[in-house]
């Protein structure tokens, strides 16, 4: 098996793409932290996380009480799916948080 050599120019081009993706990701993360600066938004985000992960924790609790292995399998599968890469879990949590924040701001003039 022969390895393909990569020129220096190709490596620089690849590093440029990686750097741009890294910069965009960091700007997105900074924007999210800017949006979650006040305590109400952080509280809403934590509430959304608790609600979204509640099936997992409920199945673990029921497994610890009753000992059915099916409940542990369901809990593990739920966590593995949502915690896995390329799932829309955190974007969905952020979207729900921002929507609830905007709704609460309109309802209560917060």
């Amino acid at each position: 098996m022969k390895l393909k050599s990569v020129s220096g120019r190709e490596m620089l081009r690849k590093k440029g793409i990686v750097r741009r993706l890294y910069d965009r990701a960091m700007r997105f993360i900074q924007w999210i932290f800017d949006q979650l600066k006040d305590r109400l938004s952080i509280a809403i985000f934590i509430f959304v996380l608790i609600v979204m992960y509640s099936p997992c924790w409920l199945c673990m609790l029921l497994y610890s009480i009753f000992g059915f292995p099916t409940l542990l399998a369901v809990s593990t599968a739920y966590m593995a799916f949502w915690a896995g890469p390329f799932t829309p879990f955190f974007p969905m949590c952020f979207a729900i948080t921002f929507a609830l924040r905007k709704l609460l701001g309109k309802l209560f003039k917060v």
Side-chain angles (χ1 to χ4, degrees), residues 12-77:
L12 287 175
R13 192 174 336 134
K14 286 182 181 179
K15 284 184 181 178
I17 291 172
V18 171
R19 184 66 186 174
R20 279 186 281 158
L21 286 174
Y22 175 78
D23 289 340
R24 285 183 184 177
M26 293 309 292
R27 277 188 282 158
F28 177 70
I29 291 170
Q30 184 62 41
W31 176 78
I32 288 170
F33 283 130
D34 289 342
Q35 297 296 320
L36 293 176
K37 276 191 175 178
D38 61 337
R39 291 183 183 189
L40 180 62
S41 295
I42 293 171
I44 292 171
F45 181 68
I46 291 171
F47 176 75
V48 168
L49 283 177
I50 289 170
V51 169
M52 294 290 284
Y53 273 128
S54 63
C56 177
W57 300 117
L58 181 66
C59 285
M60 281 188 187
L61 176 69
L62 291 175
Y63 169 74
S64 66
I65 293 171
F66 298 114
F68 296 133
T70 307
L71 293 171
L72 183 62
V74 168
S75 175
T76 305

Side-chain angles (χ1 to χ4, degrees), residues 53 78-85 87 89-90:
Y53 273 128
Y78 186 88
M79 183 67 80
F81 174 75
W82 283 114
T87 58
F89 180 75
F90 280 104

